[in-house]
Amino acid sequence: MPSGFQGKAVESLDKSTPPSANTDLAHKFSAFTRFTLYENRLRFYIVASNASESCYRIIKVDRTLQSDLVVVEDDTDYSRKQMNNMLNMLEDGNKGSGGLGKQRAIFGIAGFVKFTAGWYMIVISKRSVVALLGGYYLYHCENTEMITVPSNHKIERPTEEQRLVNMFKQVDMSKNFYFSYSYDITSTLQNNLTKPERFNATRWPFNDRYVWNFHMIAAPFKDSPAGVRRPWLLPLIHGHVDQAKLTVLGRVVFVTLIARRSRHYAGARYLTRGVNEEGNVANEVETEQIVSEALTTPFYFPSARPSTGKRLRRPSPHYTSYVQYRGSIPIYWTQETNSMTPRPPIEISVVDPFFVAASRHFDDLFARYGAPITVLNLIKRREPQPRESKLLEEYTQCVKYLNQFLPDEYKIVYRDWDMSRAYKEKTQDVISYLEDIAEVSIQMTGFFHSGPEPLAHCLHDGNFEENDYCRRSILLQNGVCRTNCVDCLDRTNAAQFVFGKRALGHQLYALGIVASPNLAFDSDAVNMLTEMYHDHGDTIALQYTGSALVNRVETYRRMPHWNSHSRDIIENIRRFYANSLLDADKQAAINLFLGVTSERSLVHPPKRGQYQKWFQKQHLQMLYKVPESSSALHAFVNIRGEFWSEYYRPMLFTSLGKHFAYSMNSTLKLPGKTMKDIAYSPFLPHSTHSVHHPRLMAGVRRWIGTYPSSQHGFSKKTSDTKQDVLKSDVPSSDDPRSSAALAKRLLHPDVPVEEQTEYLK
């Protein structure tokens, strides 16, 4: 196993003591997935139920008041029969106001909003499935409706009200907003599985940093008691979600990409730059890459045969995730857009010798991700007219100042590299250099794996007994790599793709899918991941600048498409137009949507931190520990496992073709693929050029040295032992991707050319 991961694997899963399943706790975490809205002149009635329709609740919204919002939730859980009786009673009791009124099905409530007079209710009227995790669906919000709450809506300033409504609708909630009923999409997979009780002491059961409708959820109920939770309000994240599957000789592997954009200091490109006083940076996006084998649907295995009378679920070891981070340079800098200059000059607006805002930012990163923090700075070093280089000097000085007060083992790992110059001067292979950096970073932080190392890793070199180097516990990610350029778009996305490609190899290796974490670029698996990161980068760029990416991964691989030059010109023109003419309105709409006031609040000014002890000591402690995380993982699978009704939907008549897992994008749906390609491995390169293997650290070289530079990572040395025969990689077919060639490579021994010639005579 990799030497960089051994320090995190110190306890066995068998030593953890899983808690017993608790029916009350399982019922506590049941989610509402079905909503019915009844409307009359006096009230809204919202009936919510779970997927199995075994638990119902009813919510009442008063429509008689103009300025106040009165929402009454009945905490009683009803059965279907009891709810039908309740609705009949309400129908009889409201005959004077038209009974229960119109009935319509909705898919959730995003919150309430108020402008100059009266409240509006935002409901989700259309959705689509975009991903599947552990039997829980992730949905894209396709359409929303703004419903007036007061039945007699009196507006004193109709012109201003209409202006604010139109401005609010400029944030299109039908694009790039995602939610889930059962899975916490606001947190990473590692957080969800290893810290299921992390929100017990908080007011809201989600990570509000990435909830873009938080203002619509929190503001209407700011005066309510702190312990009241409203599970019928859905948190929405803004960003990107994509999922595809690898078909590996009959085995199915899901690759999921989730990008969460922070609601703090959000806005348009030239109007939100750098960092604010609270330490929040512009264009902050957390990207999570989840790789899982679809051997079982949920996050757990069926319980083993009980020896003590208790049947306890076992965590599935087929889930892995790797988290990256991007964000603007955390110093005070701006770009004025008053002139018609395509590239406005960069100005450092505030020179802070103590870097207070940056210290808050990095202290927050330590609290959220743990240590170590790696900073990959890709801005330009030398320019004819200094622009980006100003930020390079200030950012380097910032990290140097902060590092002098950190303990040696927690110092920020800072790497600055002029990626643009390396590409233009052809002095370095950009992708290869980034792969080297990615490998070192992954070895430092690790990644999340929900189970022990596959047994096959312990059986190399003919050793059929488990050795001390095999990891017998889960693997955890402590720390994160923070990547940035000037806009955190083109260069950053290319770098994050390389990190994702390198992490994909380690994730597949941890799942036992491949024999080596080295993946060839020109393979179906990496081509599919490239397309996913292209969509990821285009979406992030459209949200921040109004145009898609200009420089893609193919640009830095020196494999541009024939129309890439004209496309780049069009995207540059589109970006310049959006930044010059549309950004002001876009920023005002985002501020209104998020509830950000234009006036600076002086009620709670930021507390001035200490100049030397700028960090909190508890944030430097190991955030995820194997014993505690293993116990929490067992608790999660024994309590939060109710996926059956939502995934299989037993009450709905449907067909296999409409099932999301069946129709998901896959390597078999790439251009030019047919069903004959199901017998081909998606990890084989299409071309015969050599595969780059990163220059690893000394400890990693020892681990990886047993696998030579072949596309499979098998040993090429000849030997008479059975293991060496099985690991031989002799191309014995015209098409090395065919199943016949694969069978020959695995089963046939090496035969010298002389013997073959003698035999053919």
Side-chain angles (χ1 to χ4, degrees):
M1 64 172 291
S3 61
F5 299 156
Q6 290 180 5
K8 301 179 178 65
V10 295
E11 293 291 335
S12 171
L13 281 172
D14 296 334
K15 295 181 181 180
S16 58
T17 305
S20 60
N22 191 309
T23 306
D24 295 334
L25 287 175
H27 182 69
K28 168 187 173 182
F29 292 114
S30 62
F32 296 121
T33 61
R34 300 169 182 266
F35 300 86
T36 305
L37 177 64
Y38 297 90
E39 174 185 353
N40 60 27
R41 296 195 311 271
L42 300 181
R43 297 175 186 86
F44 285 124
Y45 293 99
I46 303 166
V47 178
S49 66
N50 57 7
S52 61
E53 299 185 6
S54 61
C55 176
Y56 287 80
R57 280 194 184 183
I58 187 167
I59 302 98
K60 180 179 67 175
V61 182
D62 197 327
R63 304 191 64 191
T64 60
L65 302 176
Q66 286 291 329
S67 58
D68 297 332
L69 179 67
V70 179
V71 178
V72 179
E73 178 184 2
D74 191 348
D75 293 335
T76 306
D77 294 329
Y78 297 95
S79 64
R80 177 187 292 185
K81 183 177 180 180
Q82 291 172 334
M83 181 53 64
N84 288 333
N85 294 334
M86 172 70 71
L87 293 177
N88 291 332
M89 293 172 57
L90 292 174
E91 176 72 26
D92 296 336
N94 289 274
K95 284 186 177 179
S97 57
L100 281 177
K102 296 184 296 182
Q103 173 185 349
R104 55 178 298 188
I106 58 176
F107 296 105
I109 302 173
F112 301 86
V113 65
K114 179 182 179 182
F115 303 115
T116 62
W119 288 88
Y120 298 90
M121 182 169 61
I122 313 298
V123 300
I124 301 173
S125 58
K126 190 176 181 181
R127 71 183 184 190
S128 63
V129 180
V130 291
L132 174 68
L133 282 177
Y136 305 129
Y137 285 116
L138 310 185
Y139 297 93
H140 177 255
C141 179
E142 296 288 342
N143 192 29
T144 59
E145 292 185 19
M146 181 182 289
I147 302 175
T148 305
V149 172
S151 55
N152 186 17
H153 196 190
K154 297 179 180 179
I155 304 175
E156 297 180 356
R157 297 181 293 169
T159 304
E160 180 68 11
E161 180 78 8
Q162 189 60 43
R163 185 187 70 84
L164 294 175
V165 169
N166 294 337
M167 184 185 300
F168 180 85
K169 291 182 178 180
Q170 286 185 23
V171 179
D172 193 354
M173 295 186 67
S174 64
K175 292 181 180 179
N176 310 131
F177 281 88
Y178 303 88
F179 66 94
S180 177
Y181 299 111
S182 308
Y183 181 81
D184 181 13
I185 197 175
T186 66
S187 301
T188 62
L189 179 67
Q190 178 172 284
N191 252 337
N192 286 329
L193 296 186
T194 62
K195 292 189 175 183
E197 307 296 331
R198 62 194 179 280
F199 298 124
N200 283 356
T202 63
R203 180 167 185 174
W204 304 102
F206 48 75
N207 183 4
D208 64 89
R209 170 174 288 272
Y210 301 111
V211 178
W212 269 54
N213 61 329
F214 182 74
H215 175 68
M216 293 185 283
I217 294 176
F221 308 105
K222 59 183 179 181
D223 297 328
S224 60
V228 178
R229 296 193 176 188
R230 297 172 174 81
W232 44 274
L233 291 174
L234 295 177
L236 302 177
I237 69 166
H238 187 43
H240 178 70
V241 177
D242 193 11
Q243 189 175 51
K245 60 183 177 183
L246 293 171
T247 305
V248 189
L249 302 176
R251 302 173 70 174
V252 178
V253 178
F254 289 166
V255 180
T256 311
L257 208 60
I258 303 177
R260 307 174 181 93
R261 178 178 291 279
S262 172
R263 66 182 177 89
H264 299 298
Y265 202 39
R269 180 189 186 187
Y270 287 135
L271 300 179
T272 51
R273 288 296 211 186
V275 67
N276 63 7
E277 293 181 351
E278 288 78 18
N280 300 309
V281 295
N283 198 19
E284 177 186 345
V285 181
E286 177 187 81
T287 300
E288 182 180 16
Q289 179 177 296
I290 302 174
V291 180
S292 58
E293 186 178 0
L295 190 61
T296 58
T297 301
F299 290 117
Y300 60 85
F301 275 171
S303 56
R305 186 180 299 276
S307 58
T308 61
K310 296 181 180 180
R311 298 183 64 90
L312 299 175
R313 297 167 177 167
R314 298 170 294 162
S316 171
H318 298 299
Y319 285 89
T320 65
S321 76
Y322 178 70
V323 177
Q324 302 183 68
Y325 179 92
R326 73 169 73 183
S328 186
I329 297 176
I331 58 178
Y332 294 108
W333 62 282
T334 59
Q335 280 183 282
E336 297 294 337
T337 57
N338 297 331
S339 61
M340 296 298 291
T341 306
R343 302 174 66 188
I346 294 176
E347 300 293 339
I348 299 178
S349 55
V350 177
V351 178
D352 183 3
F354 304 105
F355 302 101
V356 176
S359 67
R360 293 195 180 102
H361 172 71
F362 282 107
D363 185 50
D364 182 60
L365 289 184
F366 280 123
R368 287 155 54 192
Y369 299 108
I373 300 295
T374 301
V375 172
L376 180 57
N377 187 12
L378 301 175
I379 61 178
K380 298 177 181 178
R381 179 181 295 273
R382 289 184 294 173
E383 301 170 291
Q385 182 68 27
R387 292 182 65 256
E388 299 183 16
S389 55
K390 298 179 183 178
L391 301 177
L392 175 63
E393 297 172 2
E394 190 74 9
Y395 196 15
T396 304
Q397 185 64 29
C398 168
V399 177
K400 183 178 179 180
Y401 171 81
L402 297 178
N403 263 345
Q404 64 181 332
F405 305 114
L406 283 170
D408 291 339
E409 61 272 22
Y410 299 111
K411 289 186 183 297
I412 301 170
V413 181
Y414 180 74
R415 294 178 179 271
D416 62 274
W417 180 52
D418 192 342
M419 181 176 174
S420 178
R421 190 177 188 86
Y423 166 72
K424 291 179 180 178
E425 294 185 350
K426 301 181 181 180
T427 56
Q428 289 177 300
D429 184 353
V430 173
I431 300 299
S432 298
Y433 188 81
L434 287 173
E435 268 210 287
D436 296 335
I437 297 176
E439 179 64 32
V440 174
S441 177
I442 294 173
Q443 293 293 329
M444 292 173 60
T445 64
F447 59 92
F448 173 68
H449 179 208
S450 61
E453 189 174 4
L455 182 62
H457 295 177
C458 307
L459 306 182
H460 281 303
D461 301 324
N463 181 14
F464 287 87
E465 295 183 359
E466 294 189 30
N467 52 56
D468 295 335
Y469 293 100
C470 288
R471 173 172 53 85
R472 298 180 178 88
S473 67
I474 64 175
L475 189 63
L476 300 170
Q477 179 177 352
N478 280 289
V480 74
C481 180
R482 185 195 193 281
T483 309
N484 71 267
C485 51
V486 172
D487 299 319
C488 301
L489 296 177
D490 300 354
R491 285 168 282 178
T492 299
N493 196 73
Q496 287 199 335
F497 158 73
V498 176
F499 273 71
K501 182 256 182 187
R502 194 66 199 158
L504 175 65
H506 282 288
Q507 290 172 291
L508 293 171
Y509 180 77
L511 294 175
I513 305 294
V514 295
S516 169
N518 299 318
L519 300 181
F521 260 102
D522 192 19
S523 61
D524 290 343
V526 177
N527 288 340
M528 185 191 74
L529 188 71
T530 304
E531 293 300 321
M532 295 178 69
Y533 270 91
H534 279 172
D535 295 339
H536 165 266
D538 284 339
T539 303
I540 299 301
L542 282 168
Q543 295 167 3
Y544 190 51
T545 68
S547 67
L549 290 175
V550 175
N551 296 314
R552 296 168 175 263
V553 176
E554 286 85 357
T555 305
Y556 297 102
R557 290 186 63 193
R558 305 189 186 280
M559 300 171 55
H561 195 265
W562 61 271
N563 66 345
S564 61
H565 185 64
S566 59
R567 181 185 55 80
D568 291 350
I569 295 176
I570 293 174
E571 292 301 333
N572 274 317
I573 295 174
R574 183 179 298 172
R575 186 172 292 186
F576 171 66
Y577 169 76
N579 298 155
S580 301
L581 303 178
L582 305 179
D583 275 3
D585 293 339
K586 179 180 179 180
Q587 185 68 52
I590 291 175
N591 289 342
L592 179 64
F593 187 91
L594 297 176
V596 177
T597 57
S598 57
E599 296 82 7
R600 180 179 175 183
S601 177
L602 297 177
V603 179
H604 299 288
K607 295 182 179 179
R608 181 175 296 277
Q610 299 185 28
Y611 296 133
Q612 295 186 2
K613 294 183 179 180
W614 55 267
F615 55 90
Q616 299 185 40
K617 288 186 178 180
Q618 63 269 25
H619 293 168
L620 297 182
Q621 298 176 358
M622 182 173 287
L623 188 59
Y624 298 95
K625 299 179 181 179
V626 172
E628 293 84 351
S629 298
S630 297
S631 300
L633 179 59
H634 279 86
F636 179 90
V637 299
N638 280 281
I639 296 174
R640 303 285 298 274
E642 304 304 321
F643 75 98
W644 181 272
S645 298
E646 180 181 356
Y647 179 70
Y648 290 105
R649 307 179 71 181
M651 303 301 294
L652 180 66
F653 180 77
T654 183
S655 62
L656 186 62
K658 295 181 179 179
H659 198 270
F660 176 74
Y662 181 82
S663 59
M664 188 190 305
N665 290 329
S666 71
T667 50
L668 296 180
K669 294 184 180 181
L670 291 172
K673 294 294 179 180
T674 63
M675 286 305 298
K676 294 181 180 179
D677 294 305
I678 196 172
Y680 296 159
S681 170
F683 308 113
L684 294 178
H686 298 289
S687 59
T688 57
H689 58 77
S690 61
V691 181
H692 165 74
H693 298 297
R695 298 180 295 274
L696 310 180
M697 300 179 296
V700 185
R701 285 197 187 96
R702 178 183 59 79
W703 164 68
I704 206 72
T706 55
Y707 304 102
S709 300
S710 66
Q711 60 193 17
H712 295 292
F714 292 119
S715 176
K716 287 188 177 180
K717 61 182 180 180
T718 59
S719 177
D720 295 332
T721 63
K722 182 178 179 181
Q723 288 298 319
D724 292 334
V725 170
L726 291 177
K727 291 190 286 184
S728 63
D729 188 16
V730 180
S732 55
S733 175
D734 294 335
D735 190 351
R737 300 183 301 163
S738 64
S739 57
L742 180 63
K744 289 180 181 179
R745 284 196 300 271
L746 296 178
L747 300 177
H748 288 193
D750 293 335
V751 180
V753 178
E754 295 80 6
E755 293 185 14
Q756 293 184 17
T757 306
E758 183 67 21
Y759 177 77
L760 292 176
K761 289 180 180 179

